Amino acid sequence: MTLGNAIYDQKLASIYDRMYPIGEDTDQAVKFIAAHTPPGGRVLELGVGTGRIAVPLAGRGLTVHGLDGSEAMLAELRRRDPQETVTAQLGDFTEEGTGQVFDTVTLVLNTFFVAITKEQQLGCLRLAHEQLAPGGRFILEAFDPAPYHHLQKPDFSMRHLDERAVMLDTLTVDRSQQLMLSTHTIVDGGAPETRKHVLRYAFPFEIDLLAELSGLRLVDRSEDWWGTPYTASSLRHVSVYEPDPDSPWPSATAG
């Protein structure tokens, strides 16, 4: 079972966009990524999912390729993008690349944390570096785990999916391993269905260190896609990396 199939089966894939209804944020993310990519350039989205970011990027004239570990999520992408403006493939982005070179590589909306070991996270970043053209940019978006790291008891919340469905969420944290276990119970008129998934959160400075070990160096960090300065109180970060020419790790070559 690939990384994504272990998390997003058909049920979760079918409601994924309702789990994260962030249209305005999506529009700004597309603008941000496009601004860091040469006109007509090539973009790789790791964890492309349903194509929320990838499809509008392709609509801007960019060549967009997606890699995702969930067959169900890629099926949702095809429904969103019947003209196949985004080229996508099934694969675990912590273990395999595309064999291609891109001007921009992206990893958004906490997707980096589905890699649940330090080794998987390092593998993801090394593969991102290998597929990044010289002078290219790797853009990562994630939450800052500080508010969750000291969670002492389970956290309960509810998401309204639509007029007939809600999702009940339970979150527990194992800070000794930096793991978050989420339990999602979907109530939509039939028998309630429960899904679980695990994330390994990493602090921004920890991601920077893993990036350095992978041949990447941080060039910019903001707390959102609008470029708001990142501070100690920021709950999220958008981090931009570039290949480090002094790194011993090989960078991509055109071919």
Side-chain angles (χ1 to χ4, degrees):
M1 180 176 287
T2 61
L3 189 67
N5 277 331
I7 300 172
Y8 292 108
D9 61 5
Q10 185 173 2
K11 182 67 175 182
L12 281 185
S14 69
I15 63 172
Y16 180 82
D17 288 335
R18 287 178 285 160
M19 290 170 63
Y20 302 103
I22 45 180
E24 183 181 2
D25 198 57
T26 296
D27 293 342
Q28 191 61 32
V30 170
K31 292 178 184 178
F32 184 98
I33 295 167
H36 283 77
T37 307
R42 293 170 52 79
V43 178
L44 169 64
E45 183 175 359
L46 304 175
V48 65
T50 65
R52 177 180 66 92
I53 298 288
V55 173
L57 279 173
R60 287 174 168 257
L62 300 172
T63 298
V64 183
H65 190 93
L67 182 65
D68 202 281
S70 169
E71 295 173 292
M73 292 288 269
L74 291 179
E76 292 296 321
L77 167 61
R78 293 281 71 90
R79 276 189 275 274
R80 168 174 266 157
D81 183 33
Q83 302 302 315
E84 297 191 6
T85 62
V86 174
T87 303
Q89 70 183 75
L90 180 69
D92 182 341
F93 59 72
T94 71
E95 295 183 350
E96 57 193 285
T98 62
Q100 302 180 51
V101 177
F102 300 88
D103 300 293
T104 307
V105 178
T106 68
L107 189 58
V108 303
L109 199 63
N110 314 320
T111 305
F112 180 62
F113 297 155
V114 303
I116 60 171
T117 68
K118 178 183 64 178
E119 291 73 24
Q120 286 181 327
Q121 292 181 349
L122 193 58
C124 167
L125 294 171
R126 285 178 175 167
L127 284 167
H129 177 233
E130 289 177 11
Q131 297 172 94
L132 195 60
R137 292 292 184 268
F138 172 57
I139 301 172
L140 181 149
E141 177 201 15
F143 64 82
D144 190 308
Y148 303 97
H149 185 59
H150 296 289
L151 195 66
Q152 298 291 325
K153 57 184 179 179
D155 180 71
F156 302 95
S157 61
M158 182 178 71
R159 291 185 240 199
H160 180 265
L161 301 177
D162 57 39
E163 64 276 6
R164 297 186 300 272
V166 296
M167 175 180 284
L168 308 177
D169 295 321
T170 303
L171 173 68
T172 57
V173 172
D174 178 355
R175 63 185 181 188
S176 68
Q177 301 185 67
Q178 295 183 196
L179 295 178
M180 304 175 73
L181 172 62
S182 296
T183 302
H184 307 296
T185 300
I186 305 154
V187 182
D188 58 3
E193 298 186 50
T194 297
R195 302 290 188 275
K196 295 182 178 182
H197 73 263
V198 178
L199 301 179
R200 181 191 183 272
Y201 60 85
F203 292 88
F205 69 84
E206 183 183 0
I207 298 175
D208 294 345
L209 178 57
L210 292 175
E212 290 174 12
L213 293 172
S214 305
L216 298 165
R217 63 184 181 189
L218 182 71
V219 294
D220 185 55
R221 173 168 287 144
S222 55
E223 76 166 33
D224 54 32
W225 296 109
W226 282 263
T228 305
Y230 179 81
T231 68
S233 61
S234 297
L235 299 179
R236 303 190 62 78
H237 64 97
V238 176
S239 300
V240 181
Y241 300 86
E242 67 179 3
D244 183 350
D246 297 323
S247 169
W249 287 94
S251 59
T253 56

